[in-house]
Amino acid sequence: MTTSVPATAARLGLEPHPEGGWFRRTWTSAHPVETAGGTRPAATCIHYLLTPDESSAWHVVTSDELWLWHGPGRLELRRGGTGAAPDETDTIVLGPGEAAQALVPAGVWQAARPLDDLEVLVSCFVSPGFDFADWRLAESSTV
């Protein structure tokens, strides 16, 4: 695990994310929508950074999440079904010569890690907008 703030995280004003990596919300829609969890913005977007020694733990969000790759390294995005715990079903690689974006539908488990010895910066666009009340980490025994 990275113990110091990576240069890219410092430059972009990113903070540690509870699932691993670094993030900062860059945009929140001004339009509210009603969801089962309460009122949320119509959409939100973050910068999310993983360094070569970091990964995003299995987690689930109650909204659709679109991952947009910025680079420089490749990112392995795993999608793990909709059950009570992750059950890996497919993998998408984001990066040069690969996909530039990938969708994780609402309620689908997800995890990510860099594939190369390079950091990876992505933007994650969530609709309805992200709220930590709508997010859950997998229990460590299920991964």
Side-chain angles (χ1 to χ4, degrees):
M1 174 66 71
T2 300
T3 56
S4 61
V5 178
T8 302
R11 182 173 49 79
L12 295 174
L14 308 182
E15 299 290 331
H17 197 292
E19 75 197 31
W22 303 83
F23 84 109
R24 178 175 63 87
R25 185 175 285 190
T26 58
W27 176 74
T28 301
S29 170
H31 302 285
V33 295
E34 292 302 320
T35 72
T39 304
R40 303 287 185 258
T44 57
C45 192
I46 66 168
H47 280 323
Y48 182 64
L49 176 74
L50 288 171
T51 62
D53 61 338
E54 294 176 316
S55 63
S56 166
W58 281 109
H59 63 284
V60 66
V61 179
T62 61
S63 296
D64 288 344
E65 184 168 357
L66 185 63
W67 289 62
L68 308 165
W69 176 81
H70 303 301
R74 294 178 306 145
L75 179 89
E76 177 185 76
L77 177 61
R78 297 178 291 163
R79 298 185 296 189
T82 59
D87 180 18
E88 192 165 334
T89 57
D90 69 341
T91 300
I92 300 166
V93 176
L94 300 174
E98 308 283 352
Q101 65 184 37
L103 175 67
V104 179
V108 172
W109 289 95
Q110 58 184 294
R113 69 181 180 94
L115 285 177
D116 307 309
D117 194 25
L118 297 168
E119 68 184 19
V120 181
L121 178 66
V122 297
S123 290
C124 293
F125 181 87
V126 178
S127 180
F130 182 83
D131 187 297
F132 274 105
D134 305 326
W135 169 89
R136 181 169 48 100
L137 276 174
E139 294 183 21
S140 59
S141 62
T142 64
V143 292

